[in-house]
Structure formats: C-alpha cells, structure tokens
Amino acid sequence: MEFPAEAFLPGPRVTLPGTPGGPLAGLTFAAKDLFDVAGHPTGGGNPDWAASHPTPARHAWAVRRLLDAGAELVGKTVTCEISLGILGFNPHEGTPPNPAAPGCLPGGSSSGSASAVAAGACDIALGTDSGGSVRVPASLCGLYGMRPTLGAVSVEGVLRQAETFDTAGWFARDAATFARAASALLNEALPEPSAAGVLVAEDAFAIADAEVREALAPALARIGGMFGGVTPIALAEPGELEVWGNQRNICQRAEAWRNFSPWIDRCNPRFGFSAARNLAFAATITPEQFAVANSVRARVVERMRALLEGGAILCIPTTPFTAPPLGLSLSELDRQSGRIGLLCSIAGMASLPQLSLPLGTAGGKPCGLSIICWRGADARLAAIALALENAR
Amino acid sequence: MEFPAEAFLPGPRVTLPGTPGGPLAGLTFAAKDLFDVAGHPTGGGNPDWAASHPTPARHAWAVRRLLDAGAELVGKTVTCEISLGILGFNPHEGTPPNPAAPGCLPGGSSSGSASAVAAGACDIALGTDSGGSVRVPASLCGLYGMRPTLGAVSVEGVLRQAETFDTAGWFARDAATFARAASALLNEALPEPSAAGVLVAEDAFAIADAEVREALAPALARIGGMFGGVTPIALAEPGELEVWGNQRNICQRAEAWRNFSPWIDRCNPRFGFSAARNLAFAATITPEQFAVANSVRARVVERMRALLEGGAILCIPTTPFTAPPLGLSLSELDRQSGRIGLLCSIAGMASLPQLSLPLGTAGGKPCGLSIICWRGADARLAAIALALENAR
C-alpha cells in the first residue's frame, strides 16, 4: 500500500519527536489540520483561514499529550474545510484517497487522518468529531476511531466548530495501538472490559443498507457472546430518528454559525459551494428553532440516559453504507450525508462516547460497527475493542 | 497612471490583431473573462469554471465584431465570479484596482474591464450587465459604460447568468471612442441626439447620497439645457422602488439558479461565501415567488413604456454613492450592494438601455449620471453622450 502524500498538507511535512521513554514510544502520529502545532499555521482546510488567523504559539492539548507520551508527530493532515463535510471532499486541497476502498471517498471531515492511518503512513492520527468526523472516516476506511465523551479529551488549541458538539478523537489500525492512545489521551488505565447488557438498536440498523447489516452481524454476535447475549431495542418511535437528525442539524449549525460568522463577515472567505450553502442556511436559524431543537436534544439525552447509564452498551452501524465512489453529484452527496447524519446524531445529541470498530466488510469495502456507552466510560469502549481483537 | 496588471487575467496576455482598415482601427480593447476567445479557456472569474468546460473554438460575437471592425484585443479581464457581484470583489483572482479612486473598489462584475479602461491600458472594454455589471463599474471608475437593450448586442459566446437580464456592454474613457464602439456593436450609424423630454426621477435620486445628488446637478442641468428643460417625476409610489429591487432579485436569481445549478450539482465549485450564499438562496425561490416577481416586472415594463416610449429620456444616478473603500465587511458590502440594486433594477426589469455618463465627482471620486430610454434607442443615448461632450 502506498503512503498517500495527498492525506497530508502540501509542502514540507511538520515533524516533531516525542518525549523519549514514554508509553507511546515507537509510535508515530499525525494531526488533522484543525489542531495547533506551535510555529505552524493552522489551515483548517480552507485557504482563507490561515491567512486571517495568527500562527499558533502553542501546541493543541492533544498534540502535546501525544508528544509527551512519546509518540512522534509525522505530519498534519488534510481536513474538510473548517471541519464541515462528512464524506471527505476538500475542493481546495484535494480529497485524500481511501486506501481501503480505492476510487472511493475516505469520509470526513478527518479525511486525511483516516487516510494516513489506513495507508500505514502513521500509527495514530488525531481527528475531531462534531457530527461524525472521526466515526465516519473510521467506518469508511476500516479503522478504529472514536468520538469521546464531550469534554473527555480537551479541545484546547483546536479550530472549533460547534461548542456543545466538538470533540477530539483518534484513529488506529489495530485495537492495541488504539488502546495505548486511549490511555494517553483519556489519562487513565484501561479497565476490564464489561457491559451490563448489549443493546442492538434495530431502528438504527434499519437505516443501513442490507449488505452493511449483514456484514456487521458476525461482529454483533461476537460482542453478544462476550457479554451474555444481545437485546434488540428501538431507540425511538417510528420516524423519530429523522427528527433527531434534523434537530441535531439545527443545534450544530446554529452553533457553527455563531462561531464562524464573525470571521465570515470580516473575510468573505472562499468555500466549496456545499459548505457555504450549509453555513448560509445556518444563518437563517431563528432562536425559536434553536430552542425547539434543544428541547428535542434534552429528550434524546434522557432516552440515552435511561438506556445506558446502568452500564449497557449500544450497538449501531457507524455508517449506513460503505465508502461512496468519487465523482458523485452534489445532490447525491447530500442524500448520502443526510443518511449518515441520522446515525451520527445519537451520540452527538447526547454527548456520548462512540467507538467505531472495523469489523465489517461488504463488497470488498469496510464498514464499521459502533459501540456507544454512557458519558465518561470512554476507556471501557477501548477495553472492549481490545478484548474483541484478542479473542479473535 | 500605471497600467493595472491586476485588471487582466494572470499569465500571458491574450492578444489578437484587428482587421486592418476597419472603423475601429487604432483602438485597443479588452474582454471580460466571460467572453469566449477562440483557443483560450473562458474562466468566468472562478477556478472551477474553466476546468469543467471546454475551451471555446470560436470567438464570442462581440469579440469578433470588434476585431472585424479593426480594434486590437490586448487582453482578457478579471470578472466577479460567474458575473455575480456588483462591487468588484474577486476572492480567487484578486480585486482589480480602481484607478479613479485609489484604495477603493472598482465596482463589478465587469471590474477588470472598467479598471483597464480607466487606467488607459486599453481604449474600449467589453463587459456584461445583468444586474448592473457595466453601469456600476462605469460609475465608480469614471467611465462611459452602457447596458444595451436586451438582445441589441448579441450575447452569443458569453458565459450566461440570467437569460432575460444578460446583456453585453462596453466601456470607454471618452464619448467619441464610446460612440465609435457603439456604432460597431449596435451595427448602426449614430443618429442626431434627440429627446422628447428629459425626465428626472426624484425617487431614484432620493436613494443617492446627498453628495452624489449635488455632484450630478450640473450635468442634469446641461442635459436639460440641450433638450428644453427637465421634468421632475416619481417613477413609482413611495416604497415601490424597493419592491422593484427585491422582485428583480427574485427574477434574476431564479434564472441564474436554473442556469448554474446543473454545473453546481456536478462540480460543487468553490465560491466566495457571498456568491455561494446568494446562489443557495436562489435555489429556494419557489415557482410561485418567481411568478409574483414576474408580475411586478410586467408592471415596471408598463410604467417605463408609458414614460419613455414617446422618446423621452430618463435620468437617474447610476450608483447611490462613489466607490466604497476596500476592506469592508460582508454585511457592509451587502448593505451597499442592496442600495445599488434599487437603481439598477429599473432598466434591468424593463430590458431598457442605460448609459452611465462620467459627469460627476464627489469627494474626489467619480459618480455617474445615467440616461435611460425606451428599447432599441441605444444609439441615441451614445449620440447624446457625444453631444454633451462636444458641447463642453
């Protein structure tokens, strides 16, 4: 497999040695171009971002953390512009290749990070996940990838999108490496793998293509076998997941507009049409619509608390399909993004940790099975991933 | 005055000799990068346009016409992206300078054409005017500039925006050169200057800054003196010009979306935020809204027919202000563009010819007085401009 230079920012590669002797010694990592690296512009995947922001003087927390733990930084990776985009397209810097599905999109917005890890160009890569930006490329590129509990990994020094959705996550090719990074980033030792029940969300699986449902069945059975069987459930009333998805869009986009609009008003920056369009519609969200969306969000939180606070884990497909081919029209990309959004809204609305496991293959392309638990039990998800890998 | 290289496309200049001995022999011209020049990509001010369209095999009609008449092509000029933008900003290729108002915007979308003529880099330049794109830069750069009657100058071989608004116009520094180009492009000899009355639209002047109204008063008096005095009128009921402006936006944007959406869906091209936003909102215009806007348009046509079909000319300020400074925020640019739109909607909605005369100066910066007549009398406007210049 060739190292995808297109996964990294153009120009000389940013590299930094890790602290010798740390727990991640011998591992390499890359950082999505939303994470500050001291002395290097943070580009955010948009040509007008770096030009209108100062070069950071300090590393982002997560970069510092991995360096302190001994990992070596080997580059910064391409991101969808200012973290907007779930399929991995970048009209300015190019779309990183999907090494696990040649000729297909890598997923995004942490597209370059997933691409670099999948190709073996580094062992670990940092990404961000506000609406699915680690989970989706992990699924489409066949990687372990996690969105942690909101706030569990500091987003200090990260180009922010939406304050109550932004998380800093990471990718790895194998569960052991993933778990080592988890210990460093979550700052805790991995617990014993445990789950007070394995819930399978049938309404979430119903959103996925039949080939994805079939591809994930063996992995589901293995997880069930490890924790006393699976319990089929419905997350919501019929049609309600669509409401969750739509209202998550409102919540997240309203926050993104509040965050980005001063910069946009000052600089009128360049964007791919779809990113600008989504921001333009975000600008029209009224306070009343935002309030309604947040009341739906509160219902999602209570539903997920009832299901998961006792220690159960929830299984859903990470994405409804495998990596879509390059060259789709915008209306087709929109349709695919919308379907992805339904699945990503569950953990996003409830600020839950979600780990995508690369345990499915359909039509020769990977698809991920996600495990979700209640807030704060992030390390337990990594421990379950490791146990599953070791039990193979 | 320095020749503004920034007015032209970057890279080697496209040049073509004119036919020897023609009526425009000895004159040079430039063409906005919406006009096809055989063998050269038409860029349209957007990096993704040329990449997704074939290189033209033929010259645009107006380019061919000027070459046949003996003028020499000396380059293609920067345009606002795909002709969208009235103040002259281009986030991809840079904003051409305003030689008549240093540090200020040139107006657009025929920004580079106006800039090149104003700087003396060529004698004539072709532009397009759908919503004011010749009239506005003519006013802000101190040039003669005309939007002809819809269809009076062929738009064959021009990157189209909105089918019932698109016109091909031109700029010159002096009325004599302007008139020579007019004869060639309109394919008729100039008539005697005449006007069955000079109407001054007080409601249109009320939209302009006081300094612009004052700056244009002497020129108004001169035109009145030439044709038996001026008649103050109101074009519309109080507040109605705003309705015309808003409904012109609906008509023009709906057509633009119908025109550009297949390309946008196929390529998801890059745009400056404001251009993408305006297109995104254009996509939401319903057939019912378009029908309402067209019924308003029919009222405007009838009003203008009643005023002008008998041979009168109408005077309005071309722009409500002189060239705005560079560096404005998007919200400020939007406010200024909206005011301009009110004045440009009159001829645009009624498909009338409008010639902006560089006869005002306020605060050291130019502002244009426009003369408008009924459809088809385009050459008469050029003849009036020439008579005014000769009478000085």
Side-chain angles (χ1 to χ4, degrees):
Chain A
M1 198 177 290
E2 281 194 26
F3 280 4
E6 307 93 325
F8 292 93
L9 299 189
R13 201 75 67 78
V14 179
T15 61
L16 287 169
T19 303
L24 302 184
L27 295 179
T28 57
F29 78 103
K32 185 181 189 179
D33 195 22
L34 303 182
F35 287 82
D36 284 350
V37 173
H40 297 272
T42 298
N46 182 285
D48 296 319
W49 183 270
S52 53
H53 288 84
T55 296
R58 304 179 59 194
H59 297 324
W61 183 90
V63 169
R64 207 161 61 234
R65 183 77 192 165
L66 291 181
L67 290 170
D68 287 350
E72 176 192 359
L73 178 70
V74 296
K76 294 194 75 180
T77 57
V78 170
T79 167
C80 293
E81 40 188 345
I82 60 170
S83 73
L84 304 175
I86 204 69
L87 288 171
F89 181 76
N90 185 314
H92 311 288
E93 299 173 345
T95 301
N98 184 335
C104 294
L105 289 160
S109 65
S110 308
S111 50
S113 286
S115 181
V117 173
C122 53
D123 300 307
I124 304 165
L126 292 170
T128 63
D129 188 316
S130 303
S133 288
V134 166
R135 293 166 282 171
V136 172
S139 177
L140 302 188
C141 292
L143 299 172
Y144 292 87
M146 184 162 185
R147 170 199 170 83
T149 301
L150 190 78
V153 175
S154 171
V155 289
E156 186 211 312
V158 174
L159 195 167
R160 300 297 299 274
Q161 180 199 129
E163 60 189 25
T164 73
F165 289 90
D166 292 348
T167 65
W170 65 101
F171 301 92
R173 282 181 303 281
D174 60 86
T177 305
F178 185 86
R180 286 171 71 187
S183 287
L185 288 165
L186 297 168
N187 199 25
E188 60 179 296
L190 254 52
E192 288 300 305
S194 67
V198 177
L199 310 177
V200 176
E202 294 198 318
D203 43 358
F205 272 90
I207 291 170
D209 288 349
E211 66 167 11
V212 168
R213 292 199 302 269
E214 288 160 23
L216 299 180
L220 263 187
R222 287 175 56 212
I223 296 175
M226 190 172 276
F227 299 114
V230 302
T231 306
I233 61 154
L235 287 171
E237 299 297 316
E240 204 181 349
L241 286 186
E242 282 73 12
V243 175
W244 293 10
N246 294 339
Q247 299 305 306
R248 194 266 309 166
N249 250 333
I250 303 277
C251 289
Q252 189 178 337
R253 288 185 179 177
E255 290 186 8
W257 180 249
R258 192 165 56 195
N259 179 36
F260 289 126
S261 57
W263 170 60
I264 290 171
D265 192 53
R266 183 162 53 88
C267 299
N268 196 16
R270 289 165 287 178
F271 289 106
F273 177 77
S274 55
R277 175 199 60 186
N278 294 351
L279 285 162
F281 289 134
T284 69
I285 297 170
T286 64
E288 292 71 22
Q289 290 172 317
F290 188 54
V292 167
N294 274 311
S295 77
V296 171
R297 187 174 192 172
R299 285 216 313 275
V300 177
V301 171
E302 288 320 304
R303 174 63 178 153
M304 299 309 292
R305 184 192 301 276
L307 290 172
L308 299 178
E309 202 172 23
I313 62 168
L314 172 70
C315 297
I316 66 170
T318 310
T319 54
F321 40 73
T322 60
L326 297 171
L328 295 180
S329 68
L330 181 53
S331 43
E332 183 60 24
L333 291 170
D334 285 343
R335 213 174 59 80
Q336 306 283 45
S337 298
R339 289 180 69 198
I340 286 180
L342 299 183
L343 294 174
C344 288
S345 295
I346 300 162
M349 284 288 251
S351 307
L352 301 181
Q354 177 177 347
L355 170 49
S356 183
L357 309 165
L359 301 181
T361 305
K365 298 192 280 186
C367 54
L369 177 69
S370 269
I371 50 177
I372 296 173
C373 63
W374 188 243
R375 296 169 183 168
D378 306 52
R380 192 151 56 88
L381 294 181
I384 292 170
L386 189 56
L388 280 165
E389 187 170 81
N390 290 339
R392 258 188 177 166
Chain B
M1 200 176 289
E2 282 194 27
F3 280 2
E6 307 92 324
F8 292 93
L9 299 189
R13 199 77 67 77
V14 180
T15 60
L16 288 170
T19 302
L24 301 185
L27 295 179
T28 57
F29 79 103
K32 185 182 190 179
D33 195 20
L34 304 182
F35 287 81
D36 284 350
V37 173
H40 297 271
T42 298
N46 181 285
D48 296 318
W49 183 270
S52 52
H53 288 84
T55 297
R58 304 179 59 195
H59 298 323
W61 183 90
V63 169
R64 208 162 60 233
R65 182 82 192 158
L66 292 181
L67 291 170
D68 287 349
E72 175 191 359
L73 178 69
V74 297
K76 294 194 74 179
T77 56
V78 170
T79 167
C80 295
E81 41 188 344
I82 59 169
S83 74
L84 304 174
I86 203 68
L87 290 170
F89 181 76
N90 186 313
H92 310 288
E93 299 174 344
T95 300
N98 184 335
C104 294
L105 288 160
S109 65
S110 308
S111 50
S113 285
S115 181
V117 173
C122 53
D123 300 307
I124 304 165
L126 292 170
T128 63
D129 188 314
S130 304
S133 287
V134 166
R135 294 166 281 172
V136 172
S139 177
L140 302 187
C141 291
L143 298 172
Y144 292 87
M146 185 162 185
R147 168 199 172 81
T149 302
L150 189 78
V153 175
S154 171
V155 290
E156 186 213 310
V158 175
L159 195 167
R160 301 296 301 273
Q161 181 201 126
E163 59 190 25
T164 72
F165 290 90
D166 292 349
T167 65
W170 65 100
F171 301 93
R173 281 183 302 282
D174 60 86
T177 305
F178 185 85
R180 287 172 69 187
S183 286
L185 290 165
L186 297 168
N187 197 26
E188 60 179 293
L190 254 54
E192 287 301 305
S194 68
V198 176
L199 310 177
V200 176
E202 295 199 317
D203 44 357
F205 273 88
I207 290 168
D209 289 350
E211 66 167 11
V212 169
R213 293 199 300 269
E214 288 160 24
L216 299 180
L220 262 187
R222 286 175 56 212
I223 296 176
M226 188 171 279
F227 299 112
V230 303
T231 307
I233 61 152
L235 288 171
E237 299 298 314
E240 205 181 350
L241 287 186
E242 282 73 12
V243 175
W244 295 8
N246 294 338
Q247 299 307 305
R248 194 265 310 166
N249 250 332
I250 302 279
C251 290
Q252 189 179 336
R253 288 185 179 177
E255 289 187 7
W257 180 250
R258 192 166 54 195
N259 180 35
F260 288 126
S261 56
W263 170 60
I264 291 171
D265 192 52
R266 183 163 52 89
C267 298
N268 196 15
R270 290 165 286 180
F271 289 106
F273 177 77
S274 56
R277 175 199 60 187
N278 293 351
L279 285 163
F281 289 134
T284 69
I285 296 170
T286 64
E288 292 72 22
Q289 289 172 318
F290 188 53
V292 168
N294 275 313
S295 77
V296 171
R297 186 174 192 174
R299 284 216 314 274
V300 178
V301 171
E302 288 320 304
R303 174 62 178 153
M304 300 309 291
R305 184 193 301 276
L307 289 171
L308 299 177
E309 202 172 22
I313 62 169
L314 172 71
C315 297
I316 66 169
T318 310
T319 54
F321 40 73
T322 60
L326 298 169
L328 294 180
S329 68
L330 180 53
S331 43
E332 183 62 24
L333 291 170
D334 285 342
R335 211 173 61 79
Q336 306 283 45
S337 298
R339 289 180 69 198
I340 287 181
L342 299 185
L343 294 174
C344 288
S345 296
I346 299 161
M349 283 288 250
S351 308
L352 302 181
Q354 177 177 347
L355 169 49
S356 184
L357 310 165
L359 300 181
T361 306
K365 298 192 282 187
C367 52
L369 177 68
S370 270
I371 50 178
I372 296 173
C373 64
W374 188 244
R375 297 169 183 168
D378 306 53
R380 192 151 55 89
L381 294 181
I384 293 171
L386 188 57
L388 279 166
E389 187 171 80
N390 289 339
R392 258 187 175 165

